[in-house]
Amino acid sequence: MRRNLVVGNWKMHGSRASNGLLLSGLKEAGPWSADVAVCVPFPYITETALALTGTNVSFGAQDCSAHEQGAFTGEVSSAMLADIGCRYVIVGHSERRAYHAESDQLVADKAKAALAHGVTPIVCVGETLAEREAGQTEAVVKRQLSAVIHTLTHCIGEIVVAYEPVWAIGTGLTASPAQAQSVHAVLRTLLAAATQKASSMRLLYGGSVKPDNAAELFAQADIDGGLIGGAALKAADFSAICRAAG
Ligand code: PEP
């Protein structure tokens, strides 16, 4: 039996003041039966951890380096994330793939680095609108996930996967529950060929999830929660989505 997971991706939003309000709103609204986490900008992780003390909301980061340590100015290692208590790190978000030219292999290497330090990578995969219209959705997500499967080998069962169609992120367009489920089923089948843990792995859907569409998405057989962008910045909306998951 899989327990749903809802993760807020704050992206590059927030300030100490606005984060404080958001986190206290979440504290008042919780707890939820689903697992819940927030992935926040690096400078705010420690303060977020403090604010969440005593709750069952986990926290994490939105990226990590593929390197262990060294002369990599501006990068943050997964050892550092582990050191400050991060449970999760998002890797391969489409914004990083697009704006920072992150390759499938780099994403896989980041996932490997995170796991090496006990931080669970949330590996994002998803097709662009042009790829969907060209009938390439399945091929794209399989290519992206296969790189991670080949790199992590026997550890693949330890990751969380997030299917995020690029055309649905921040656009207000959501994949229909049936569209999302069909890609999730493809991903779980691919994972099942690589690990016996596939049936217990959590596959999240992300892309304009809101309080009014969350329950139907989470009701799909292979959707085990969500990765939430815009709606994670409003305590009432994020709480409602967490409730829909649990
Ligand atoms: C995201 O960026 O991971 C995301 C899903 O964003 P939104 O919910 O705003 O579409």
Short mmCIF file of all heavy atoms in Angstrom, two decimals, residues 59 63-70 76-89 91 108-121 152 155 158-159:
data_model
loop_
_atom_site.label_atom_id
_atom_site.label_comp_id
_atom_site.label_asym_id
_atom_site.label_seq_id
_atom_site.Cartn_x
_atom_site.Cartn_y
_atom_site.Cartn_z
N PHE A 59 11.05 18.67 4.89
CA PHE A 59 11.53 19.78 4.06
C PHE A 59 12.70 19.31 3.20
O PHE A 59 13.31 18.27 3.46
CB PHE A 59 11.96 20.98 4.93
CG PHE A 59 13.04 20.64 5.92
CD1 PHE A 59 14.37 20.79 5.58
CD2 PHE A 59 12.72 20.13 7.16
CE1 PHE A 59 15.37 20.45 6.48
CE2 PHE A 59 13.71 19.79 8.07
CZ PHE A 59 15.04 19.95 7.73
N ASP A 63 17.34 21.49 -5.77
CA ASP A 63 18.42 21.07 -6.67
C ASP A 63 19.60 20.68 -5.79
O ASP A 63 19.65 21.06 -4.62
CB ASP A 63 18.84 22.23 -7.59
CG ASP A 63 19.88 21.82 -8.63
OD1 ASP A 63 19.83 20.66 -9.10
OD2 ASP A 63 20.74 22.65 -8.96
N CYS A 64 20.53 19.93 -6.35
CA CYS A 64 21.80 19.68 -5.66
C CYS A 64 22.87 19.46 -6.71
O CYS A 64 22.56 19.24 -7.89
CB CYS A 64 21.70 18.46 -4.73
SG CYS A 64 21.50 16.89 -5.60
N SER A 65 24.11 19.49 -6.29
CA SER A 65 25.22 19.24 -7.20
C SER A 65 25.36 17.74 -7.44
O SER A 65 25.00 16.94 -6.57
CB SER A 65 26.51 19.78 -6.59
OG SER A 65 27.60 19.45 -7.43
N ALA A 66 25.92 17.39 -8.58
CA ALA A 66 26.24 15.98 -8.83
C ALA A 66 27.59 15.65 -8.20
O ALA A 66 27.96 14.48 -8.11
CB ALA A 66 26.29 15.72 -10.33
N HIS A 67 28.32 16.69 -7.80
CA HIS A 67 29.67 16.49 -7.25
C HIS A 67 29.62 16.32 -5.74
O HIS A 67 28.72 16.83 -5.07
CB HIS A 67 30.57 17.67 -7.59
CG HIS A 67 30.70 17.89 -9.06
ND1 HIS A 67 31.48 17.09 -9.86
CD2 HIS A 67 30.14 18.80 -9.88
CE1 HIS A 67 31.39 17.50 -11.11
NE2 HIS A 67 30.59 18.53 -11.16
N GLU A 68 30.65 15.70 -5.22
CA GLU A 68 30.73 15.43 -3.78
C GLU A 68 31.12 16.71 -3.02
O GLU A 68 30.49 17.10 -2.05
CB GLU A 68 31.76 14.31 -3.57
CG GLU A 68 31.86 13.76 -2.18
CD GLU A 68 30.53 13.22 -1.64
OE1 GLU A 68 29.71 12.71 -2.41
OE2 GLU A 68 30.32 13.36 -0.42
N GLN A 69 32.18 17.35 -3.49
CA GLN A 69 32.64 18.61 -2.89
C GLN A 69 33.70 19.20 -3.81
O GLN A 69 34.10 18.55 -4.76
CB GLN A 69 33.24 18.37 -1.50
CG GLN A 69 34.46 17.49 -1.52
CD GLN A 69 35.16 17.44 -0.15
OE1 GLN A 69 34.86 18.19 0.75
NE2 GLN A 69 36.10 16.53 -0.03
N GLY A 70 34.16 20.41 -3.50
CA GLY A 70 35.29 20.95 -4.25
C GLY A 70 35.01 22.30 -4.87
O GLY A 70 34.15 23.05 -4.42
N VAL A 76 25.62 23.47 -4.38
CA VAL A 76 25.32 22.97 -3.03
C VAL A 76 25.30 21.46 -3.11
O VAL A 76 24.61 20.88 -3.95
CB VAL A 76 23.96 23.51 -2.55
CG1 VAL A 76 23.57 22.88 -1.22
CG2 VAL A 76 24.00 25.03 -2.41
N SER A 77 26.09 20.81 -2.26
CA SER A 77 26.19 19.34 -2.34
C SER A 77 25.06 18.67 -1.57
O SER A 77 24.46 19.25 -0.66
CB SER A 77 27.53 18.87 -1.78
OG SER A 77 27.52 19.00 -0.37
N SER A 78 24.85 17.41 -1.92
CA SER A 78 23.82 16.66 -1.19
C SER A 78 24.29 16.35 0.23
O SER A 78 23.46 16.20 1.14
CB SER A 78 23.41 15.40 -1.94
OG SER A 78 24.53 14.68 -2.31
N ALA A 79 25.61 16.30 0.44
CA ALA A 79 26.11 16.12 1.81
C ALA A 79 25.68 17.31 2.67
O ALA A 79 25.31 17.14 3.84
CB ALA A 79 27.63 15.99 1.80
N MET A 80 25.73 18.49 2.09
CA MET A 80 25.30 19.69 2.84
C MET A 80 23.81 19.63 3.14
O MET A 80 23.37 19.98 4.23
CB MET A 80 25.62 20.96 2.04
CG MET A 80 27.09 21.22 1.86
SD MET A 80 27.32 22.54 0.66
CE MET A 80 29.11 22.53 0.53
N LEU A 81 23.05 19.18 2.16
CA LEU A 81 21.59 19.08 2.37
C LEU A 81 21.30 18.08 3.48
O LEU A 81 20.45 18.31 4.35
CB LEU A 81 20.88 18.68 1.07
CG LEU A 81 21.02 19.66 -0.09
CD1 LEU A 81 20.23 19.16 -1.30
CD2 LEU A 81 20.56 21.06 0.31
N ALA A 82 22.03 16.96 3.46
CA ALA A 82 21.83 15.95 4.51
C ALA A 82 22.23 16.53 5.86
O ALA A 82 21.56 16.31 6.88
CB ALA A 82 22.66 14.71 4.19
N ASP A 83 23.30 17.31 5.86
CA ASP A 83 23.83 17.88 7.10
C ASP A 83 22.80 18.78 7.79
O ASP A 83 22.77 18.88 9.02
CB ASP A 83 25.09 18.68 6.73
CG ASP A 83 25.94 19.03 7.92
OD1 ASP A 83 25.87 18.30 8.93
OD2 ASP A 83 26.67 20.04 7.86
N ILE A 84 21.97 19.46 7.00
CA ILE A 84 20.97 20.35 7.62
C ILE A 84 19.60 19.68 7.70
O ILE A 84 18.59 20.34 7.96
CB ILE A 84 20.88 21.72 6.91
CG1 ILE A 84 20.55 21.57 5.42
CG2 ILE A 84 22.19 22.50 7.09
CD1 ILE A 84 20.23 22.89 4.73
N GLY A 85 19.56 18.38 7.45
CA GLY A 85 18.34 17.61 7.74
C GLY A 85 17.36 17.46 6.60
O GLY A 85 16.22 17.05 6.83
N CYS A 86 17.76 17.80 5.38
CA CYS A 86 16.81 17.68 4.26
C CYS A 86 16.42 16.23 4.03
O CYS A 86 17.27 15.34 4.01
CB CYS A 86 17.42 18.21 2.95
SG CYS A 86 17.58 19.98 2.92
N ARG A 87 15.17 16.01 3.82
CA ARG A 87 14.67 14.67 3.52
C ARG A 87 14.60 14.45 2.01
O ARG A 87 14.78 13.34 1.53
CB ARG A 87 13.28 14.55 4.15
CG ARG A 87 12.51 13.32 3.80
CD ARG A 87 12.50 12.35 4.96
NE ARG A 87 11.87 11.11 4.59
CZ ARG A 87 10.69 10.70 5.04
NH1 ARG A 87 10.03 11.47 5.88
NH2 ARG A 87 10.19 9.55 4.67
N TYR A 88 14.30 15.51 1.27
CA TYR A 88 14.09 15.40 -0.18
C TYR A 88 14.91 16.44 -0.94
O TYR A 88 15.21 17.51 -0.41
CB TYR A 88 12.61 15.65 -0.53
CG TYR A 88 11.65 14.64 0.05
CD1 TYR A 88 10.87 14.95 1.17
CD2 TYR A 88 11.51 13.38 -0.53
CE1 TYR A 88 9.98 14.03 1.70
CE2 TYR A 88 10.61 12.45 0.00
CZ TYR A 88 9.85 12.78 1.11
OH TYR A 88 8.97 11.86 1.63
N VAL A 89 15.20 16.12 -2.20
CA VAL A 89 15.70 17.14 -3.12
C VAL A 89 15.08 16.89 -4.49
O VAL A 89 15.05 15.74 -4.96
CB VAL A 89 17.25 17.17 -3.17
CG1 VAL A 89 17.85 15.85 -3.65
CG2 VAL A 89 17.73 18.32 -4.07
N VAL A 91 15.24 16.92 -8.34
CA VAL A 91 16.27 16.97 -9.40
C VAL A 91 15.59 16.84 -10.76
O VAL A 91 14.58 16.15 -10.90
CB VAL A 91 17.38 15.89 -9.23
CG1 VAL A 91 18.18 16.11 -7.96
CG2 VAL A 91 16.83 14.49 -9.29
N ALA A 108 20.53 12.24 -13.59
CA ALA A 108 20.75 10.92 -12.97
C ALA A 108 21.91 10.98 -11.97
O ALA A 108 21.84 10.40 -10.88
CB ALA A 108 21.03 9.89 -14.05
N ASP A 109 22.96 11.70 -12.33
CA ASP A 109 24.12 11.81 -11.42
C ASP A 109 23.74 12.58 -10.15
O ASP A 109 24.23 12.27 -9.05
CB ASP A 109 25.29 12.50 -12.13
CG ASP A 109 25.90 11.61 -13.23
OD1 ASP A 109 25.69 10.38 -13.19
OD2 ASP A 109 26.56 12.16 -14.13
N LYS A 110 22.88 13.57 -10.29
CA LYS A 110 22.42 14.31 -9.10
C LYS A 110 21.59 13.39 -8.20
O LYS A 110 21.72 13.42 -6.98
CB LYS A 110 21.58 15.53 -9.53
CG LYS A 110 22.42 16.63 -10.17
CD LYS A 110 21.56 17.83 -10.53
CE LYS A 110 22.47 18.97 -11.02
NZ LYS A 110 21.82 20.27 -11.01
N ALA A 111 20.74 12.59 -8.83
CA ALA A 111 19.92 11.65 -8.03
C ALA A 111 20.84 10.69 -7.28
O ALA A 111 20.61 10.37 -6.10
CB ALA A 111 18.97 10.89 -8.95
N LYS A 112 21.90 10.24 -7.94
CA LYS A 112 22.83 9.30 -7.31
C LYS A 112 23.55 9.96 -6.12
O LYS A 112 23.70 9.37 -5.05
CB LYS A 112 23.85 8.82 -8.35
CG LYS A 112 24.76 7.73 -7.84
CD LYS A 112 25.62 7.18 -8.95
CE LYS A 112 26.45 6.02 -8.41
NZ LYS A 112 27.27 5.41 -9.45
N ALA A 113 23.96 11.21 -6.32
CA ALA A 113 24.65 11.93 -5.25
C ALA A 113 23.72 12.11 -4.05
O ALA A 113 24.13 11.95 -2.89
CB ALA A 113 25.12 13.30 -5.77
N ALA A 114 22.46 12.42 -4.32
CA ALA A 114 21.51 12.61 -3.22
C ALA A 114 21.32 11.32 -2.43
O ALA A 114 21.43 11.31 -1.20
CB ALA A 114 20.16 13.09 -3.79
N LEU A 115 21.10 10.24 -3.15
CA LEU A 115 20.88 8.96 -2.46
C LEU A 115 22.09 8.54 -1.64
O LEU A 115 21.94 7.96 -0.57
CB LEU A 115 20.60 7.86 -3.50
CG LEU A 115 19.15 7.66 -3.93
CD1 LEU A 115 19.06 6.44 -4.83
CD2 LEU A 115 18.22 7.52 -2.73
N ALA A 116 23.27 8.87 -2.15
CA ALA A 116 24.50 8.51 -1.42
C ALA A 116 24.54 9.15 -0.04
O ALA A 116 25.24 8.67 0.85
CB ALA A 116 25.72 8.93 -2.24
N HIS A 117 23.79 10.23 0.12
CA HIS A 117 23.77 10.91 1.43
C HIS A 117 22.42 10.76 2.13
O HIS A 117 22.13 11.51 3.07
CB HIS A 117 24.16 12.38 1.24
CG HIS A 117 25.60 12.51 0.86
ND1 HIS A 117 26.62 12.42 1.77
CD2 HIS A 117 26.17 12.61 -0.35
CE1 HIS A 117 27.77 12.50 1.14
NE2 HIS A 117 27.54 12.61 -0.15
N GLY A 118 21.61 9.84 1.67
CA GLY A 118 20.36 9.57 2.36
C GLY A 118 19.28 10.61 2.12
O GLY A 118 18.32 10.69 2.88
N VAL A 119 19.46 11.43 1.09
CA VAL A 119 18.43 12.41 0.73
C VAL A 119 17.65 11.82 -0.45
O VAL A 119 18.24 11.40 -1.44
CB VAL A 119 19.06 13.77 0.32
CG1 VAL A 119 17.98 14.77 -0.04
CG2 VAL A 119 19.96 14.31 1.44
N THR A 120 16.34 11.77 -0.33
CA THR A 120 15.53 11.14 -1.38
C THR A 120 15.37 12.09 -2.57
O THR A 120 14.79 13.18 -2.42
CB THR A 120 14.12 10.78 -0.85
OG1 THR A 120 14.28 9.87 0.24
CG2 THR A 120 13.27 10.14 -1.94
N PRO A 121 15.86 11.68 -3.75
CA PRO A 121 15.65 12.55 -4.91
C PRO A 121 14.23 12.41 -5.46
O PRO A 121 13.71 11.30 -5.57
CB PRO A 121 16.68 12.04 -5.93
CG PRO A 121 16.95 10.63 -5.55
CD PRO A 121 16.66 10.49 -4.07
N LEU A 152 21.40 4.44 -11.30
CA LEU A 152 21.18 4.04 -9.90
C LEU A 152 21.15 2.53 -9.71
O LEU A 152 21.27 2.05 -8.58
CB LEU A 152 19.87 4.63 -9.36
CG LEU A 152 19.76 6.15 -9.33
CD1 LEU A 152 18.51 6.57 -8.57
CD2 LEU A 152 20.97 6.78 -8.67
N CYS A 155 19.55 0.73 -6.64
CA CYS A 155 18.97 1.72 -5.71
C CYS A 155 17.75 2.43 -6.30
O CYS A 155 17.18 3.31 -5.64
CB CYS A 155 20.00 2.78 -5.35
SG CYS A 155 21.37 2.13 -4.45
N GLU A 158 14.54 3.50 -4.45
CA GLU A 158 14.56 4.49 -3.35
C GLU A 158 14.13 5.89 -3.77
O GLU A 158 14.04 6.79 -2.93
CB GLU A 158 15.98 4.60 -2.76
CG GLU A 158 16.63 3.27 -2.37
CD GLU A 158 15.77 2.46 -1.42
OE1 GLU A 158 15.22 3.06 -0.48
OE2 GLU A 158 15.60 1.25 -1.66
N ILE A 159 13.90 6.10 -5.06
CA ILE A 159 13.60 7.46 -5.50
C ILE A 159 12.08 7.71 -5.54
O ILE A 159 11.29 6.77 -5.49
CB ILE A 159 14.20 7.79 -6.89
CG1 ILE A 159 13.43 7.06 -8.02
CG2 ILE A 159 15.67 7.42 -6.94
CD1 ILE A 159 13.80 7.54 -9.42
#
